[in-house]
Amino acid sequence: MSTSDRLIEATQELLWERGYVGTSPKAIQQHAGAGQGSMYHHFTGKPDLALAAIRRTAQELRATAGRVLDTPGSAYERISGYLLRERDVLRGCPVGRLTMDPEVIASEELRAPVEETIVWLRGRLAEIVQEGLDRGEFDHRLVPRDIAASIVATVQGGYVLARASGSTEAFDAAARGLLSLLAPPADAG
């Protein structure tokens, strides 16, 4: 792995754990096993490196979600797969956590990949809900954009509830609850 990649990975990890302010250049260098000269050879400074790390985190989240959402199956099965996929619930979402970071949100440049990823996710989920509506899987009164927003809110809120309680059960309960609301009635068909 290149020094540049090690620095980006270290920054991703530290941003997730500590946030922007808590992620010092020295901590990044120590975590990456790289010297100060290496860091500044590859990046102009902490903001530049943080942007590269946030972009990679966003790209990884899209890839992970895409692997689940783009599988064969009904819309309900794909949404269920997304909600119930294995994740480190007690650590929270690496992209969602960035929305709570005042330094990231205050910077249009750092915020952009976060916002783009959330917009992408909501859009992809809305497409899947629309597919389900078109196939008669869901109640015709569902509004795809609203359901997509509810799915994202359930995941992000589930992380918050789980972290607050120190248990994954709160996340799992939120996912199960949303899926029960989306599930077609047992007597349908």
Side-chain angles (χ1 to χ4, degrees), residues 122 126 129 141-153 178 182:
R122 288 178 64 182
V129 172
R141 296 172 294 182
L142 294 184
V143 177
R145 288 176 42 165
D146 294 351
I147 297 302
S150 296
I151 294 167
V152 173
L178 180 57
L182 289 176

Side-chain angles (χ1 to χ4, degrees), residues 91-136:
R91 283 192 77 197
C93 174
V95 172
R97 297 264 308 260
L98 292 168
T99 67
M100 301 298 192
D101 192 314
E103 300 295 322
V104 172
I105 295 305
S107 165
E108 193 172 317
E109 190 174 32
L110 294 177
R111 185 180 67 245
V114 174
E115 182 180 5
E116 290 164 7
T117 300
I118 293 170
V119 167
W120 171 84
L121 181 58
R122 288 178 64 182
R124 187 66 190 107
L125 288 165
E127 290 170 1
I128 292 169
V129 172
Q130 185 61 58
E131 290 171 23
L133 285 168
D134 294 345
R135 292 187 207 144

Side-chain angles (χ1 to χ4, degrees), residues 149-162:
S150 296
I151 294 167
V152 173
T154 297
V155 169
Q156 295 304 317
Y159 283 128
V160 170
L161 295 172

